[in-house]
Each structure stands twice: as structure tokens, then as C-alpha cells.
Amino acid sequence: MTHTDVTRSATANFKCPNCGGNALFDPSINELRCPFCETVIPIERTTLNNIELDYTEALLAANTAWSDDLRVFHCNNCGAETILQGQNVADFCSFCGSSHIEKTDDNAGIRPSLVIPFHIARTQAEAMFKEWISKRYLAPSKLKTSHTLDRLTGIYIPYWTYDTQTSSHYTVKIGTHYYVPETYTTTDANGNTTTHTRMVQHTRWHTENGYHEEFFDDVLIHATNKNTDHLLRKIEPFKLHDLVDYQDAYLSGFIAERYAVPIEAGWRRARDEVDAGISASIEGKTRGDIVIVQHVDTAYDAITYKHILLPIWLSSFQFNGKIYPFIVNGQSGKVAGDAPTSWVKVSLLVLLGIAVIAMLYLYFSNQ
Ligand SMILES: [Zn+2]
Ligand SMILES: [Zn+2]
């Protein structure tokens, strides 16, 4: 394997008309730009693909290759599969840094129909990371000055979105409170007995059957490898109205992750979210003091999907010999990452918390 830098190696894909160099997608101008002579090559932006595709047809056509010009690399360490253009070669896994990575003969899978192109350039992403790390107040004080930042890689993360029209027959158990007066007696220190009345709450239960229809639009399911899972949630949301038709030009200088969650498994996750939504709706529209959704039988019709790519900058920093991953939303610049914690600072904070509670307790107990 040659030691070619992924983002600088030449491909024949997007040749500069002026000098023949390889033009790369430039987030700051939202066009291709030649890094050698600065020639700008405009990308014609369309949104014709912003339509829902039929899910059952996708299952039949699941082996349709994305493009012959893409290579899929498999990481033997973390299992991530990355998609590179043309003759680009990956030496390291962008997700775990391992060099145990090899080219496969797999095709890139279902071609994405839409993409949010990178809006945040590498230098901006680095600046946003620096600001983020300066605000890790519970981190050791040395972190700000003595961490080493690894190179940022721009990666398109695969997502599925699903729509479906649902109709559900359901059974709910409804509890209605009612109050019954109850008498009781107390005896004081002198042996005098008094009779009092109080209202006691009881609950009457009955079962109801009902029918509920609801349409779910763009249930977003990420299809990525697991190790960025917890961080991806934290950099949401992405503004999906900025989706444009996918073109290979947006990949120039970037890589894409091959979806690790197939379209069927993605639909099962989406269905779980849809089911939770249906239960919440049924609970919300049923009158009663207590509503327990007992049974829901749902038909999912008109299931459609979109396969989309969303941009993130992925990297890590090192501190005291440990590696901490972080990601930057390539559209909004929002940062999420793991950071070391200073036990001295945390302990002080806990002690401070205990002191405040103790003071409040003393204050109110003396009132
Ligand atoms: Zn050029
Ligand atoms: Zn890996």
C-alpha cells in the first residue's frame, strides 16, 4: 500500500480545466476548486431527487451499485467501511486510526439520493474544536495547552429517512379517580376522642378500544458504525431543508462511510420510533386520569425511504497518552467529544454542592 494522503492524491474524476490538477470540493464557496491554480469549477445544484422512494422496490434493487468509480475499504479493527473515490487509497481507518485496513471488492451499496454538502471548512472546524476544548471546565487545567490535535477528516455519514402512513387498532385501560368520604377518630393526650372526615381517592377501571391514523415524515436513522454513535446524537440537528441531489463532486477531497445498517434494519429502528410515537399519540388523545396503552396493532402503509449523506469532521486529540474522539457538525459547526475529567475539580464541585445543601438545610430548619 502506498503512503498517499487521502485528500491530496490525484484522481481523474474532477480534472481542473486550466491545469489538469484534481479539483476538490471547497466548503467555503460550495463549489469545486483546484488547489494548484485556484480555478473554481461550479457545481450545478438540483433537488430533483428530493422525493420519497418506495421501500419494497429498494429491497429488490438493494444490490444496485452506487458507482463503479468508488472503492470500499474495510477496517479489520473496528469494522468501519469507508468509501473513497477513484484511485484514492486509505492507509488508516478514519474512525479508529488503525492501519489494519484493506480494500474490498464490495460495491458501495445503494446510491445516496441526497446530500448536505460541507459548509464548515477544515480550518473553521479546527477553530470550533479549540473553542470547545477551552470550555471543558471540569477537565484538567493543562488540557487547553498540552493536548495534541490529530488531523481532521471530513466524512459523509450515511442516514436513512423513512415515511409511513400508519393505522392502528388499539386497546387502552383507563382509570378514573373518584373520592369517597371516610371517617376516622383521633385521641388526644387527655384521652378525648374526636371524629373527622376525609376524602379518599379510589380508581375505577375500564377498557376501551379505538382506531388511530397517523403519518410519519422523515424519521431519521443513522446507518453508521457504532463508535461514533453517542457523539452523533449530540451534534444534531442537521437542517434537512438544505439537502441537494447527491453528486460525486461533493465527495472530492472527502470520504463517505458505507452504511453499516442495511435498509431493512434501518426500517426496524424507524418502526420502533414510529411505534413509540403512536403510543404517545394514543395516550395524549385518551381522556382519563390514568391511561395505560395495553395493545396496539399497526399496519404500516406507503413506506418510503431516502438514503442521505450528512457531513461531519471527525478527529481525536491526545492527552496524557490517551486518545479522545470528537466530531464537528459539518453543516452547523456544533462540536461533541469525550474529554478527560479532573478528579480534583469534580471532588471540589461535589464538596461545594454538599456545603450549599447543608447551608440551605440549616437556614430553613431555623425558620
Ligand atoms: Zn488548476
Ligand atoms: Zn477502524
Coordinates of all heavy atoms in Angstrom, one line a residue, residues 170-242:
Y170 N -56.3 -0.2 18.7 CA -55.7 -0.3 20.0 C -56.7 -0.6 21.1 O -57.9 -0.4 21.0 CB -54.9 1.0 20.3 CG -55.7 2.2 20.4 CD1 -56.3 2.6 21.6 CD2 -55.9 3.0 19.3 CE1 -57.1 3.7 21.7 CE2 -56.7 4.2 19.3 CZ -57.3 4.5 20.6 OH -58.0 5.7 20.6
T171 N -56.1 -1.0 22.3 CA -56.9 -1.2 23.5 C -56.2 -0.4 24.6 O -54.9 -0.5 24.7 CB -56.9 -2.7 23.9 OG1 -57.3 -3.4 22.8 CG2 -57.8 -2.9 25.0
V172 N -56.9 0.4 25.3 CA -56.4 1.1 26.4 C -57.1 0.8 27.7 O -58.3 0.6 27.7 CB -56.4 2.7 26.2 CG1 -55.3 3.1 25.3 CG2 -57.7 3.2 25.7
K173 N -56.4 0.8 28.8 CA -57.0 0.7 30.1 C -57.1 2.1 30.7 O -56.1 2.8 30.7 CB -56.1 -0.2 31.0 CG -56.9 -0.9 32.1 CD -55.9 -1.9 32.7 CE -56.4 -2.2 34.1 NZ -55.4 -3.0 34.9
I174 N -58.3 2.5 31.1 CA -58.5 3.9 31.6 C -58.9 3.9 33.0 O -59.9 3.2 33.4 CB -59.5 4.6 30.7 CG1 -59.1 4.7 29.3 CG2 -59.8 6.0 31.3 CD1 -60.1 5.1 28.3
G175 N -58.2 4.6 33.8 CA -58.5 4.7 35.2 C -59.1 6.1 35.5 O -58.6 7.1 35.1
T176 N -60.3 6.1 36.2 CA -60.9 7.4 36.6 C -61.0 7.5 38.1 O -61.4 6.6 38.8 CB -62.4 7.5 36.0 OG1 -62.3 7.1 34.6 CG2 -62.9 8.9 36.1
H177 N -60.5 8.6 38.6 CA -60.4 8.7 40.1 C -61.8 9.2 40.6 O -62.5 9.9 39.9 CB -59.4 9.8 40.5 CG -58.0 9.4 40.1 ND1 -57.5 8.1 40.2 CD2 -56.9 10.1 39.7 CE1 -56.3 8.1 39.8 NE2 -55.9 9.3 39.5
Y178 N -62.2 8.7 41.8 CA -63.4 9.2 42.5 C -63.1 9.2 44.0 O -62.1 8.5 44.4 CB -64.6 8.4 42.2 CG -64.6 6.9 42.6 CD1 -65.2 6.5 43.8 CD2 -64.0 6.0 41.8 CE1 -65.1 5.2 44.2 CE2 -63.9 4.7 42.2 CZ -64.5 4.3 43.4 OH -64.4 3.0 43.8
Y179 N -63.8 10.1 44.7 CA -63.5 10.3 46.1 C -64.6 9.9 47.0 O -65.8 10.2 46.7 CB -63.1 11.7 46.3 CG -61.8 12.1 45.5 CD1 -61.9 12.5 44.2 CD2 -60.6 12.0 46.1 CE1 -60.8 12.7 43.4 CE2 -59.4 12.2 45.3 CZ -59.6 12.6 44.0 OH -58.4 12.9 43.2
V180 N -64.3 9.2 48.0 CA -65.3 8.7 49.0 C -65.0 9.2 50.4 O -63.8 9.1 50.8 CB -65.3 7.1 49.0 CG1 -66.2 6.6 50.1 CG2 -65.6 6.6 47.6
P181 N -66.0 9.8 51.0 CA -65.7 10.3 52.4 C -65.5 9.2 53.3 O -66.2 8.1 53.2 CB -66.9 11.1 52.7 CG -68.0 10.7 51.8 CD -67.3 10.1 50.6
E182 N -64.6 9.4 54.3 CA -64.3 8.3 55.2 C -64.1 8.9 56.6 O -63.5 10.0 56.7 CB -62.9 7.7 54.7 CG -62.6 6.3 55.3 CD -61.3 5.8 54.7 OE1 -60.3 6.1 55.3 OE2 -61.3 5.1 53.6
T183 N -64.7 8.3 57.6 CA -64.5 8.9 58.9 C -63.4 8.2 59.7 O -63.2 7.0 59.4 CB -65.8 8.9 59.7 OG1 -66.3 7.5 59.7 CG2 -66.9 9.8 59.1
Y184 N -62.8 9.0 60.5 CA -61.7 8.3 61.4 C -61.7 9.1 62.7 O -62.2 10.3 62.7 CB -60.4 8.3 60.7 CG -59.8 9.6 60.4 CD1 -58.8 10.2 61.2 CD2 -60.2 10.4 59.3 CE1 -58.2 11.4 60.9 CE2 -59.7 11.6 59.0 CZ -58.7 12.2 59.8 OH -58.2 13.4 59.6
T185 N -61.1 8.5 63.7 CA -61.1 9.2 65.0 C -59.7 9.3 65.5 O -58.8 8.6 65.1 CB -61.9 8.4 66.1 OG1 -61.3 7.0 66.1 CG2 -63.3 8.3 65.8
T186 N -59.5 10.4 66.2 CA -58.1 10.6 66.9 C -58.4 10.8 68.4 O -59.4 11.2 68.8 CB -57.4 11.9 66.3 OG1 -58.3 13.0 66.5 CG2 -57.1 11.7 64.9
T187 N -57.3 10.5 69.1 CA -57.4 10.6 70.6 C -56.3 11.5 71.0 O -55.1 11.3 70.6 CB -57.3 9.2 71.2 OG1 -58.1 8.3 70.6 CG2 -57.6 9.3 72.7
D188 N -56.6 12.6 71.8 CA -55.5 13.4 72.2 C -54.9 13.0 73.5 O -55.3 11.9 74.1 CB -56.0 14.9 72.3 CG -57.0 15.1 73.4 OD1 -57.1 14.2 74.3 OD2 -57.7 16.1 73.4
A189 N -53.9 13.7 74.1 CA -53.2 13.3 75.2 C -54.0 13.1 76.5 O -53.7 12.3 77.4 CB -52.1 14.3 75.5
N190 N -55.2 13.8 76.5 CA -56.1 13.7 77.6 C -57.1 12.6 77.5 O -58.0 12.4 78.4 CB -56.8 15.0 77.9 CG -55.8 16.2 78.1 OD1 -54.8 16.0 78.7 ND2 -56.1 17.3 77.5
G191 N -57.0 11.8 76.4 CA -58.0 10.7 76.2 C -59.3 11.1 75.6 O -60.2 10.3 75.5
N192 N -59.4 12.4 75.1 CA -60.6 12.8 74.4 C -60.6 12.4 72.9 O -59.6 12.5 72.2 CB -60.7 14.4 74.4 CG -60.8 14.9 75.8 OD1 -61.4 14.3 76.7 ND2 -60.1 16.0 76.1
T193 N -61.7 11.8 72.5 CA -61.8 11.2 71.1 C -62.5 12.2 70.2 O -63.6 12.7 70.6 CB -62.5 9.9 71.2 OG1 -61.8 9.0 72.1 CG2 -62.4 9.2 69.8
T194 N -62.0 12.5 69.0 CA -62.7 13.3 68.0 C -62.9 12.5 66.8 O -62.0 11.8 66.4 CB -61.8 14.6 67.7 OG1 -61.1 14.9 68.9 CG2 -62.6 15.7 67.2
T195 N -64.0 12.8 66.1 CA -64.3 12.1 64.8 C -64.1 13.1 63.7 O -64.5 14.3 63.8 CB -65.7 11.6 64.8 OG1 -65.9 10.7 65.9 CG2 -66.0 10.8 63.5
H196 N -63.3 12.7 62.6 CA -63.0 13.6 61.5 C -63.5 12.9 60.2 O -63.8 11.7 60.2 CB -61.5 13.8 61.3 CG -60.8 14.2 62.5 ND1 -60.6 15.6 62.8 CD2 -60.3 13.5 63.6 CE1 -60.0 15.7 64.0 NE2 -59.7 14.4 64.4
T197 N -63.6 13.7 59.1 CA -64.0 13.1 57.8 C -62.9 13.5 56.8 O -62.4 14.6 56.8 CB -65.3 13.7 57.3 OG1 -66.3 13.4 58.3 CG2 -65.8 12.9 56.0
R198 N -62.5 12.6 56.0 CA -61.5 12.9 55.0 C -62.0 12.2 53.7 O -62.7 11.2 53.7 CB -60.1 12.5 55.3 CG -60.0 11.0 55.5 CD -58.6 10.6 55.8 NE -58.5 9.1 56.2 CZ -57.6 8.6 57.0 NH1 -56.6 9.4 57.4 NH2 -57.6 7.3 57.3
M199 N -61.6 12.8 52.5 CA -61.9 12.2 51.2 C -60.8 11.3 50.8 O -59.6 11.7 50.7 CB -62.1 13.3 50.1 CG -63.2 14.3 50.5 SD -64.8 13.6 50.7 CE -65.3 13.4 49.0
V200 N -61.1 10.1 50.4 CA -60.1 9.1 50.0 C -60.3 8.8 48.5 O -61.4 8.6 48.0 CB -60.2 7.8 50.8 CG1 -59.2 6.8 50.4 CG2 -60.0 8.1 52.3
Q201 N -59.1 8.8 47.8 CA -59.2 8.6 46.3 C -59.2 7.1 46.0 O -58.5 6.3 46.5 CB -57.9 9.2 45.7 CG -57.8 9.0 44.2 CD -56.5 9.5 43.6 OE1 -56.2 10.7 43.7 NE2 -55.8 8.6 43.1
H202 N -60.2 6.8 45.1 CA -60.2 5.4 44.6 C -60.2 5.5 43.0 O -60.4 6.6 42.5 CB -61.6 4.7 45.0 CG -61.7 4.5 46.4 ND1 -61.5 3.3 47.0 CD2 -62.0 5.4 47.4 CE1 -61.6 3.4 48.3 NE2 -62.0 4.6 48.6
T203 N -59.9 4.4 42.4 CA -59.8 4.5 40.9 C -60.7 3.4 40.3 O -60.7 2.2 40.7 CB -58.4 4.3 40.4 OG1 -57.5 5.2 41.1 CG2 -58.3 4.5 38.9
R204 N -61.5 3.8 39.4 CA -62.4 2.9 38.7 C -61.8 2.6 37.3 O -61.4 3.5 36.6 CB -63.8 3.6 38.5 CG -64.9 2.6 38.0 CD -66.2 3.5 37.8 NE -66.7 4.0 39.1 CZ -66.9 5.3 39.3 NH1 -66.6 6.2 38.4 NH2 -67.4 5.7 40.5
W205 N -61.7 1.4 36.9 CA -61.0 1.0 35.7 C -62.0 0.5 34.6 O -62.9 -0.2 35.0 CB -60.0 -0.1 35.9 CG -58.8 0.4 36.8 CD1 -58.7 0.3 38.1 CD2 -57.6 1.1 36.3 NE1 -57.5 0.8 38.5 CE2 -56.8 1.3 37.4 CE3 -57.2 1.5 35.0 CZ2 -55.6 2.0 37.3 CZ3 -56.0 2.2 34.9 CH2 -55.2 2.4 36.1
H206 N -61.8 0.9 33.4 CA -62.5 0.2 32.3 C -61.6 0.2 31.1 O -60.6 0.9 31.0 CB -63.8 1.0 32.0 CG -63.6 2.3 31.3 ND1 -63.2 3.4 31.9 CD2 -63.8 2.6 30.0 CE1 -63.2 4.4 31.1 NE2 -63.5 4.0 29.9
T207 N -62.0 -0.6 30.1 CA -61.1 -0.8 28.9 C -61.9 -0.2 27.7 O -63.1 -0.3 27.6 CB -60.9 -2.3 28.7 OG1 -60.3 -2.8 29.9 CG2 -60.1 -2.6 27.5
E208 N -61.1 0.4 26.8 CA -61.7 1.0 25.6 C -60.9 0.5 24.4 O -59.7 0.4 24.5 CB -61.6 2.5 25.7 CG -62.9 3.2 26.0 CD -62.8 4.7 26.1 OE1 -61.9 5.3 25.4 OE2 -63.5 5.3 27.0
N209 N -61.6 0.4 23.3 CA -60.9 0.1 22.0 C -61.0 1.3 21.1 O -62.0 2.0 21.2 CB -61.6 -1.1 21.3 CG -61.4 -2.4 22.1 OD1 -60.3 -2.7 22.7 ND2 -62.5 -3.1 22.3
G210 N -60.0 1.5 20.3 CA -60.0 2.7 19.4 C -59.2 2.4 18.1 O -58.6 1.4 18.0
Y211 N -59.3 3.5 17.3 CA -58.6 3.4 16.0 C -57.9 4.7 15.8 O -58.4 5.8 16.1 CB -59.7 3.2 14.9 CG -59.1 3.2 13.5 CD1 -58.3 2.1 13.1 CD2 -59.3 4.3 12.6 CE1 -57.8 2.1 11.8 CE2 -58.8 4.2 11.3 CZ -58.0 3.1 10.9 OH -57.5 3.1 9.7
H212 N -56.6 4.6 15.4 CA -55.8 5.8 15.3 C -55.0 5.8 13.9 O -54.4 4.8 13.6 CB -54.8 5.9 16.4 CG -53.8 7.0 16.4 ND1 -54.2 8.3 16.7 CD2 -52.5 7.1 16.0 CE1 -53.1 9.1 16.5 NE2 -52.1 8.4 16.2
E213 N -55.0 6.9 13.2 CA -54.3 7.1 12.0 C -53.3 8.2 12.1 O -53.6 9.2 12.7 CB -55.2 7.4 10.8 CG -55.9 6.2 10.2 CD -56.7 6.6 9.0 OE1 -56.6 7.7 8.5 OE2 -57.4 5.7 8.5
E214 N -52.0 7.9 11.7 CA -51.0 9.0 11.8 C -50.0 8.8 10.7 O -49.6 7.7 10.4 CB -50.3 8.9 13.2 CG -49.4 10.1 13.4 CD -49.0 10.2 14.9 OE1 -49.5 9.4 15.8 OE2 -48.1 11.0 15.2
F215 N -49.5 9.9 10.1 CA -48.5 9.9 9.1 C -47.2 10.3 9.7 O -47.1 11.3 10.5 CB -48.9 10.9 7.9 CG -47.8 10.9 6.9 CD1 -47.6 9.8 6.0 CD2 -47.0 12.0 6.7 CE1 -46.6 9.8 5.0 CE2 -46.0 12.1 5.7 CZ -45.8 11.0 4.9
F216 N -46.1 9.6 9.4 CA -44.8 9.9 10.0 C -43.9 10.3 8.8 O -43.8 9.7 7.8 CB -44.2 8.7 10.7 CG -44.9 8.5 12.0 CD1 -46.0 7.7 12.1 CD2 -44.3 9.0 13.2 CE1 -46.7 7.5 13.3 CE2 -45.0 8.8 14.4 CZ -46.1 8.0 14.5
D217 N -43.3 11.5 9.0 CA -42.5 12.1 7.9 C -41.0 12.2 8.3 O -40.7 12.7 9.4 CB -43.0 13.5 7.7 CG -42.3 14.2 6.5 OD1 -42.0 13.4 5.5 OD2 -42.2 15.4 6.5
D218 N -40.1 11.7 7.5 CA -38.7 11.8 7.6 C -38.2 11.3 9.0 O -37.5 12.1 9.7 CB -38.2 13.2 7.4 CG -38.2 13.5 5.9 OD1 -38.2 12.5 5.1 OD2 -38.2 14.7 5.5
V219 N -38.5 10.1 9.4 CA -37.9 9.5 10.6 C -36.4 9.2 10.3 O -36.1 8.4 9.4 CB -38.6 8.3 11.1 CG1 -38.0 7.7 12.3 CG2 -40.1 8.6 11.3
L220 N -35.5 9.9 11.0 CA -34.1 9.9 10.7 C -33.4 8.8 11.5 O -33.4 8.9 12.7 CB -33.5 11.3 11.0 CG -32.1 11.6 10.5 CD1 -32.0 11.6 9.0 CD2 -31.6 12.9 11.0
I221 N -32.7 7.9 10.7 CA -32.0 6.8 11.4 C -30.6 6.8 10.9 O -30.4 6.7 9.7 CB -32.7 5.5 11.0 CG1 -34.1 5.4 11.5 CG2 -31.9 4.3 11.7 CD1 -34.4 5.5 13.0
H222 N -29.6 7.0 11.8 CA -28.2 6.9 11.2 C -27.8 5.5 11.0 O -28.2 4.6 11.7 CB -27.2 7.7 12.1 CG -27.0 7.1 13.4 ND1 -26.3 5.9 13.6 CD2 -27.3 7.5 14.6 CE1 -26.2 5.6 14.8 NE2 -26.8 6.6 15.5
A223 N -27.0 5.3 9.9 CA -26.6 4.0 9.5 C -25.1 3.8 9.6 O -24.5 3.1 8.9 CB -27.0 3.8 8.0
T224 N -24.6 4.4 10.7 CA -23.1 4.5 10.8 C -22.6 3.3 11.7 O -23.3 2.7 12.3 CB -22.6 5.8 11.4 OG1 -21.2 5.8 11.4 CG2 -23.2 6.0 12.8
N225 N -21.3 3.2 11.6 CA -20.6 2.3 12.5 C -20.7 2.8 14.0 O -20.9 4.0 14.2 CB -19.1 2.3 12.1 CG -18.3 1.3 12.9 OD1 -17.8 1.6 14.0 ND2 -18.2 0.1 12.4
K226 N -20.7 1.9 14.9 CA -21.1 2.2 16.3 C -20.3 3.2 17.1 O -20.8 3.9 17.9 CB -21.2 0.9 17.1 CG -22.5 0.2 16.9 CD -22.9 -0.7 18.1 CE -24.4 -1.0 18.2 NZ -25.1 -1.0 16.9
N227 N -19.0 3.3 16.8 CA -18.2 4.0 17.7 C -18.3 5.5 17.7 O -17.8 6.2 18.6 CB -16.7 3.6 17.6 CG -16.1 4.0 16.3 OD1 -16.8 4.4 15.4 ND2 -14.8 3.9 16.2
T228 N -19.1 6.0 16.8 CA -19.4 7.5 16.8 C -20.8 7.7 17.3 O -21.3 8.9 17.4 CB -19.1 8.2 15.5 OG1 -19.7 7.3 14.5 CG2 -17.7 8.4 15.2
D229 N -21.5 6.6 17.5 CA -22.9 6.7 17.9 C -23.3 7.7 18.9 O -24.2 8.6 18.7 CB -23.3 5.3 18.5 CG -24.6 4.8 18.0 OD1 -24.9 5.1 16.8 OD2 -25.3 4.1 18.8
H230 N -22.7 7.7 20.1 CA -23.1 8.5 21.2 C -22.8 10.0 20.9 O -23.5 10.9 21.4 CB -22.5 8.1 22.5 CG -21.0 8.3 22.5 ND1 -20.1 7.6 21.7 CD2 -20.2 9.1 23.3 CE1 -18.9 8.0 22.0 NE2 -18.9 8.9 22.9
L231 N -21.8 10.2 20.1 CA -21.4 11.6 19.8 C -22.3 12.2 18.7 O -22.6 13.4 18.7 CB -19.9 11.7 19.3 CG -18.9 11.3 20.3 CD1 -17.5 11.4 19.8 CD2 -19.0 12.2 21.6
L232 N -22.7 11.4 17.7 CA -23.5 11.9 16.6 C -24.8 12.5 17.1 O -25.3 13.5 16.6 CB -23.9 10.7 15.7 CG -22.9 10.4 14.5 CD1 -23.4 9.3 13.7 CD2 -22.8 11.7 13.6
R233 N -25.5 11.9 18.1 CA -26.7 12.4 18.7 C -26.5 13.8 19.2 O -27.4 14.6 19.1 CB -27.2 11.5 19.8 CG -27.8 10.2 19.4 CD -29.3 10.3 19.1 NE -29.7 9.3 18.3 CZ -30.9 9.2 17.7 NH1 -31.8 10.2 17.9 NH2 -31.3 8.3 17.0
K234 N -25.3 14.1 19.8 CA -25.0 15.3 20.4 C -24.8 16.5 19.4 O -24.9 17.6 19.8 CB -23.8 15.2 21.3 CG -24.1 14.3 22.5 CD -22.9 14.4 23.5 CE -22.9 13.3 24.5 NZ -21.6 13.2 25.2
I235 N -24.4 16.2 18.2 CA -24.2 17.3 17.2 C -25.4 17.5 16.3 O -25.4 18.4 15.5 CB -23.0 17.1 16.3 CG1 -23.1 15.8 15.5 CG2 -21.7 17.1 17.1 CD1 -22.3 15.8 14.2
E236 N -26.5 16.8 16.6 CA -27.8 17.1 15.8 C -28.3 18.4 16.4 O -27.9 18.8 17.5 CB -28.8 15.9 16.1 CG -28.4 14.7 15.3 CD -29.3 13.5 15.5 OE1 -30.3 13.6 16.3 OE2 -29.0 12.4 15.0
P237 N -29.2 19.1 15.7 CA -29.8 18.7 14.5 C -29.1 19.1 13.2 O -28.2 20.0 13.2 CB -31.2 19.4 14.5 CG -30.8 20.7 15.2 CD -29.7 20.4 16.2
F238 N -29.4 18.4 12.1 CA -29.0 18.8 10.8 C -30.2 19.5 10.2 O -31.3 19.0 10.4 CB -28.6 17.7 9.9 CG -27.2 17.1 10.3 CD1 -27.1 16.1 11.2 CD2 -26.1 17.6 9.7 CE1 -25.9 15.5 11.5 CE2 -24.8 17.1 10.0 CZ -24.7 16.1 10.9
K239 N -30.0 20.6 9.4 CA -31.2 21.2 8.8 C -31.4 20.5 7.4 O -30.7 20.8 6.4 CB -30.9 22.7 8.5 CG -30.9 23.5 9.8 CD -30.8 25.0 9.6 CE -29.9 25.6 10.6 NZ -28.5 25.7 10.1
L240 N -32.4 19.6 7.4 CA -32.6 18.8 6.2 C -33.2 19.5 5.0 O -33.1 19.0 3.9 CB -33.6 17.6 6.6 CG -33.0 16.6 7.6 CD1 -34.0 15.5 7.8 CD2 -31.6 16.1 7.2
H241 N -33.6 20.8 5.2 CA -34.1 21.5 4.0 C -32.9 21.9 3.1 O -33.2 22.4 2.0 CB -35.0 22.7 4.4 CG -34.3 23.7 5.2 ND1 -34.7 24.0 6.5 CD2 -33.3 24.5 5.0 CE1 -33.9 24.9 7.0 NE2 -33.1 25.3 6.1
D242 N -31.7 21.8 3.6 CA -30.5 22.1 2.8 C -30.1 20.9 1.9 O -29.0 21.0 1.3 CB -29.4 22.6 3.6 CG -29.6 24.0 4.2 OD1 -30.5 24.7 3.7 OD2 -28.9 24.4 5.1

